[in-house]
Amino acid sequence: MLDVAVAEARAGLAEGGIPIGAALFSVDGTLLGRGHNRRVQDDDPSMHAETAAFRNAGRQRDYRKTIMVTTLSPCWYCSGLVRQFTIGAVLIGEARTFHGGHDWLAEHGVEVTVLDDERCVGLMTDFIAARPELWNEDIGEPS
C-alpha cells in the first residue's frame, strides 16, 4: 500500500510540488483513492496529499474500515480529517522529518503504524534541503 503513496509523492515532486503522497484503502486492500500534495500546483493551501486521496475516493458509507496511507506523518489539518470521518487506521511512511498529529490520532483510537521507510525519509530530507522556504510555508513556519 505504501508503494502507491510513494509513487504519488514522486509525481508531486516531478510536478514541482511537495513530495508527499497518500492513498485511501479499504481494509481488504482495495484502493479507493490516491493523491499527492498539490498546494503549489493548484495554488490551494488546503490540497494536502491526504485531502487529495480522500477527495478522489469519493463518498464512502463508513470510513471506520478504511486505511489512510501517507508518506509523512499527517499534519494537524489532515489529522483532523482522519478524526472527522473516523478513518480507522493510518499507515505512515515516516515521521523523522515531521512529527505531525499521529500521536493524537492514536490517543483517540486510530490504529497508527509508522514504518520509518527510507524512501520516504529520503524524499523529504532531500526536498527540505533543496526548498526550505517552500517546506516552511507548507508547515506554517516563518521563512
Side-chain angles (χ1 to χ4, degrees), residues 62-118:
D62 183 4
Y63 292 94
R64 287 177 187 87
K65 294 182 180 176
T66 62
I67 304 163
M68 179 64 76
V69 180
T70 181
T71 57
L72 185 64
S73 179
C75 69
W76 288 107
Y77 170 68
C78 295
S79 294
L81 179 141
V82 169
R83 288 274 294 134
Q84 174 69 33
F85 292 95
T86 63
I87 292 172
V90 178
L91 180 68
I92 299 166
E94 70 103 351
R96 276 193 244 169
T97 60
F98 180 75
H99 192 101
H102 69 264
D103 291 336
W104 176 74
L105 290 172
E107 290 168 10
H108 289 88
V110 177
E111 180 183 329
V112 173
T113 304
V114 180
L115 298 175
D116 201 31
D117 183 271
E118 289 299 330

Side-chain angles (χ1 to χ4, degrees), residues 33-45:
R34 60 192 293 164
H36 52 272
N37 186 302
R38 295 192 52 83
R39 294 179 71 254
V40 173
Q41 299 92 312
D42 295 352
D43 196 28
D44 179 350

